[in-house]
Amino acid sequence: MDRLAGDAEVIRLRDERLRIIRLGSILDVEGAETGLDGGLIVVVEGGREKVGLFVDELLGQQQIVIKSLETNFEKIEGVSGATILGDGRVALILDVAGVIRVWLTRQARAERRDYASKCLEEE
Amino acid sequence: METANSSTVQSVTADTSEVLTFVVDGQHYGVDILRVQEIRCWESVTRVPNTPDHIRGVLNLRGAIVPIIDLRIRLGLKQVEYEPTTVIVVLQVRSEHGSRTMGIVVDAVSDVCSVKSSDVQETPDFGVNVDTRYMRGITCVSDPMVIILDADRLLSSDAMSVTAI
């Protein structure tokens, strides 16, 4: 793993360099794995961009029926819908392009904040 | 039989309405019983990211995905550990998007009572510190005092809208 200017993390996968999105911080999960050795990176593509999603654990693969969250709720950025698992629990379905958008927005905001604090220091 | 009929007629007349009352932080609140779909025990929900604090998550209600709102946090009260009496009251909410189903978490349900519209007083204005828009009124004749909530305003799109990224 390499670090580019500040918070941007990248990994090298064969000939490519992939940006890492820590899903735990995008989804505000408390207690999510923070050390890259403790989790896994899932390489995904969305909106013609390829990124690595850093997750705690992989559980499995299954076919599901997507249900809309908007029937009773609102649209949530980064989430395209939900599904009901075999045990009755609800699982959210990620929208990879949306997750990338959320991450870019936050990244830009963090940069602006850093820039602003730097300007203040200089003053 | 006749008495049963007359009581049914009475409950649907314009000046009385049946209200389901419940307790949140020791205070009694009520909602129009016609909006109540069901009452169920608290069970853990699936958390949804980037939503306001009062949205606990979503629940599978016989195949429908229903958001669950913690009324304590919605009303600005302190959050507590859920107890065996903690229940979810599932409500039908009407909004510009049509009818929606939502659940609110309350400390305990208490009663169903008839409330005459003449007994409902308008909520006093508390200035900007207390948001009274989602209160339909207060009944003071019965003891304890019951704050009647307006489900549509309490769970409006504004209140549910997702926080900034």
Side-chain angles (χ1 to χ4, degrees):
Chain A
M1 200 260 291
D2 296 315
R3 224 169 240 284
L4 296 181
D7 289 336
E9 294 165 320
V10 287
I11 50 160
R12 204 177 319 160
L13 178 80
R14 289 179 281 275
D15 294 337
E16 283 180 282
R17 270 167 220 282
L18 292 177
R19 289 168 295 169
I20 298 175
I21 297 181
R22 289 168 181 262
L23 213 48
S25 78
I26 294 293
L27 304 180
D28 293 322
V29 179
E30 272 175 44
E33 193 66 58
T34 50
L36 285 181
D37 295 335
L40 284 165
I41 287 175
V42 183
V43 179
V44 290
E45 203 173 335
R48 280 186 294 171
E49 287 189 273
K50 214 176 198 183
V51 293
L53 294 182
F54 178 63
V55 300
D56 282 12
E57 203 182 335
L58 288 183
L59 294 177
Q61 180 188 341
Q62 67 182 94
Q63 292 207 340
I64 46 127
V65 178
I66 296 191
K67 297 208 170 209
S68 163
L69 267 180
E70 287 148 80
T71 321
N72 292 313
F73 200 17
E74 303 286 323
K75 166 107 191 74
I76 289 158
E77 190 73 12
V79 176
S80 64
T83 190
I84 293 169
L85 299 174
D87 61 2
R89 280 183 307 159
V90 179
L92 300 176
I93 317 281
L94 290 182
D95 154 28
V96 173
V99 168
I100 296 175
R101 266 198 307 277
V102 173
W103 180 75
L104 287 174
T105 315
R106 288 197 180 172
Q107 208 75 3
R109 192 179 305 147
E111 260 166 44
R112 273 203 302 275
R113 206 169 36 226
D114 288 351
Y115 180 70
S117 56
K118 208 194 269 173
C119 289
L120 280 175
E121 271 172 28
E122 278 171 15
E123 270 179 26
Chain B
M1 193 61 200
E2 285 216 339
T3 36
N5 268 341
S6 64
S7 74
T8 329
V9 170
Q10 200 190 15
S11 70
V12 293
T13 49
D15 62 336
T16 46
S17 55
E18 299 266 312
V19 169
L20 172 80
T21 63
F22 44 83
V23 185
V24 181
D25 203 24
Q27 170 64 51
H28 288 248
Y29 294 88
V31 282
D32 184 357
I33 198 144
L34 297 174
R35 294 304 186 81
V36 178
Q37 190 181 310
E38 65 182 274
I39 298 166
R40 48 192 296 138
C41 290
W42 164 255
E43 57 187 292
S44 65
V45 296
T46 301
R47 217 182 57 90
V48 182
N50 306 323
T51 47
D53 286 343
H54 59 260
I55 298 176
R56 291 309 303 257
V58 287
L59 187 71
N60 163 22
L61 195 76
R62 291 179 296 279
I65 290 166
V66 173
I68 304 298
I69 291 95
D70 189 319
L71 199 56
R72 273 180 172 266
I73 308 174
R74 177 74 184 91
L75 298 175
L77 303 167
K78 106 179 168 312
Q79 202 178 347
V80 289
E81 287 277 311
Y82 291 164
E83 285 170 29
T85 57
T86 305
V87 289
I88 298 172
V89 180
V90 181
L91 298 172
Q92 288 292 339
V93 179
R94 285 174 208 145
S95 67
E96 64 268 33
H97 309 288
S99 184
R100 288 169 153 184
T101 310
M102 293 181 187
I104 52 173
V105 181
V106 301
D107 292 356
V109 278
S110 69
D111 201 3
V112 175
C113 52
S114 300
V115 176
K116 280 200 211 119
S117 57
S118 56
D119 292 343
V120 179
Q121 293 184 7
E122 224 173 271
T123 323
D125 192 0
F126 292 100
V128 287
N129 291 328
V130 184
D131 189 358
T132 54
R133 278 172 302 173
Y134 50 76
M135 300 178 187
R136 238 173 55 197
I138 298 176
T139 61
C140 295
V141 244
S142 58
D143 189 57
M145 180 180 96
V146 175
I147 299 174
I148 303 193
L149 297 171
D150 184 324
D152 298 343
R153 290 199 179 145
L154 185 71
L155 307 175
S156 66
S157 300
D158 277 355
M160 304 299 288
S161 63
V162 173
T163 46
I165 306 161

